[in-house]
Amino acid sequence: MEPGGPLEVARRPRARLAVWTVVVAVVVGLVFWFVTSPPALATTDDTVVTSAPVGQDVYLSVAPGESDRTLRLSGVQVHVTAEAPVEVEPLLCVGGSPRVTTDPGAFCDELVPPDDHSFGAGDTIVLRVRGEYAGEVSVDRVRLGFREGLRWGTRASGAPANVTVLSR
């Protein structure tokens, strides 16, 4: 320090560091929100209703692909309420859309597990339902885990379903 020179107070870099930390945290939060908040998928309250005899597979179309979106599926969650044990398996009907059938091959170009497949216009999520005992089965809307470009999430899609398993 020179004698007689002006006195200067050195600025602390902490205030600047705190401001930049807040700015970076806000930007990272906005990017995370954008990436994990894709738009909702189409849903309907029209319930798919059918019946099938004990031991017979029945296939229900519950979620059609959207014409303006192509999703990369990572899983399908199904919530089932049933009076008796029942098998419910989500499948991807590629290139078709059966409403209710026992022979999905007549309506689908290909019937595959949905994980790691593209889901778009002309495709449908179907549920294979099979009951070994008579009773009522109620299935909520499926929840699709998916990636769409940079965005990813899990959203409800399609319609709920009710199946009556009939005794023989």
Side-chain angles (χ1 to χ4, degrees):
M1 183 168 183
E2 295 180 22
L7 291 176
E8 289 186 27
V9 176
R11 294 186 184 246
R12 293 183 167 210
R14 289 183 192 168
R16 186 176 298 162
L17 178 63
V19 168
W20 278 109
T21 301
V22 169
V23 168
V24 168
V26 167
V27 169
V28 167
L30 288 172
V31 167
F32 181 77
W33 171 82
F34 175 79
V35 167
T36 60
S37 301
L41 300 172
T43 60
T44 181
D45 290 328
D46 296 338
T47 303
V48 179
V49 179
T50 191
S51 60
V54 167
Q56 172 77 47
D57 288 345
V58 64
Y59 296 82
L60 313 166
S61 175
V62 293
E66 297 181 24
S67 61
D68 59 341
R69 296 174 79 176
T70 299
L71 311 176
R72 188 71 175 176
L73 297 176
S74 59
V76 177
Q77 297 172 347
V78 181
H79 181 261
V80 178
T81 305
E83 295 176 347
V86 66
E87 293 176 34
V88 178
E89 178 184 17
L91 297 164
L92 176 62
C93 173
V94 178
S97 182
R99 183 66 174 166
V100 174
T101 185
T102 57
D103 180 21
F107 298 96
C108 303
D109 295 340
E110 189 177 6
L111 194 63
V112 296
D115 293 356
D116 204 32
H117 280 88
S118 291
F119 177 55
D123 299 334
T124 306
I125 298 294
V126 298
L127 299 177
R128 181 188 63 81
V129 179
R130 180 186 185 99
E132 296 300 328
Y133 302 97
E136 294 291 323
V137 179
S138 177
V139 183
D140 294 340
R141 286 185 191 97
V142 294
R143 293 186 53 81
L144 304 181
F146 64 93
R147 178 174 297 279
E148 182 179 23
L150 296 175
R151 301 177 102 178
W152 51 272
T154 301
R155 297 282 186 263
S157 180
N162 288 327
V163 178
T164 302
V165 179
L166 306 169
S167 61
R168 292 194 185 239

